[in-house]
Amino acid sequence: MEFPLTITGGFLKRSHAKRIFRGKWFLLLGVALIVTGLAWGDPGESVDAVDQFGIISLIFLVAFFSIAWFKQVASINEWVRKQGSDPVIYRLSEDFIEAASNLGSSKLKWEMFHRLVISDLDLLLMFSRNAALTMPTDQVPSEAIDFLVTKFTNHSLKIEDRRKCPGKK
């Protein structure tokens, strides 16, 4: 099975933002705790060690996520500049998946993957902790999604269907 996908910088940035900030509710909780702690104290009272730790931790987390975000955006922009508007051609076979573009190709056996994540925005075929083949869900034919689910099931690989209406394209 073969199909072309048009991968844009905007799509890749939205997909990355969803991944990098998913489940980061603890950042908001940290901010709420620090603000509450600071507001609870008396005016003119010094900041205690717990508040200092919280503030330093928050600064570290914001810096870490900012650096990670800007590095990835730079990488995405470079890929989009080189790739242009040409499609990426995906080939699915019994033994492997191949992605080919004007920049080159990648061929990975199904055993290389460990998780398939399907959302309304993207399909992520995870092959390492931080790496995935990323496809826009709305461009992937439904028979290709069914094929991917079957291959991941046959190889006892994890599947997460996060679509609002699972099973529908």
Side-chain angles (χ1 to χ4, degrees):
M1 175 181 317
E2 184 176 302
F3 53 92
L5 300 178
T6 302
I7 313 272
T8 65
F11 162 74
L12 290 173
K13 290 171 190 172
R14 282 190 310 278
S15 177
H16 180 65
K18 182 185 77 168
R19 276 184 284 170
I20 195 171
F21 297 114
R22 184 178 190 273
K24 304 307 185 257
W25 55 268
F26 61 85
L27 285 175
L28 292 175
L29 179 62
V31 170
L33 289 173
I34 291 168
V35 168
T36 301
L38 291 173
W40 200 272
D42 294 329
E45 183 180 301
S46 65
V47 178
D48 66 11
V50 174
D51 286 337
Q52 288 176 8
F53 177 77
I55 291 167
I56 290 169
S57 297
L58 184 63
I59 290 169
F60 173 77
L61 288 172
V62 168
F64 175 79
F65 282 106
S66 296
I67 290 168
W69 170 255
F70 287 114
K71 284 182 74 172
Q72 187 63 30
V73 166
S75 177
I76 289 169
N77 289 340
E78 180 68 11
W79 184 85
V80 168
R81 185 184 64 73
K82 290 178 180 177
Q83 174 67 17
S85 60
D86 295 335
V88 177
I89 308 298
Y90 282 89
R91 291 179 190 88
L92 308 178
S93 77
E94 289 302 317
D95 299 321
F96 60 84
I97 181 169
E98 182 177 14
S101 72
N102 61 356
L103 300 176
S105 65
S106 300
K107 185 187 281 189
L108 296 169
K109 292 184 176 184
W110 295 110
E111 294 82 19
M112 292 296 298
F113 297 98
H114 65 87
R115 184 172 55 160
L116 171 65
V117 181
I118 308 169
S119 73
D120 292 322
L121 174 66
D122 54 18
L123 266 84
L124 303 173
L125 286 78
M126 308 297 292
F127 58 89
S128 78
R129 185 170 187 269
N130 295 316
L133 292 180
T134 306
M135 303 178 198
T137 303
D138 62 352
Q139 293 182 43
V140 179
S142 50
E143 57 271 8
I145 293 174
D146 293 341
F147 183 85
L148 290 168
V149 168
T150 300
K151 293 309 285 181
F152 273 71
T153 301
N154 291 347
H155 285 85
S156 301
L157 302 170
K158 187 174 182 179
I159 301 170
E160 296 175 36
D161 194 336
R162 299 179 182 162
R163 293 177 285 184
K164 289 187 175 102
C165 295
K168 291 187 178 181
K169 187 178 164 203

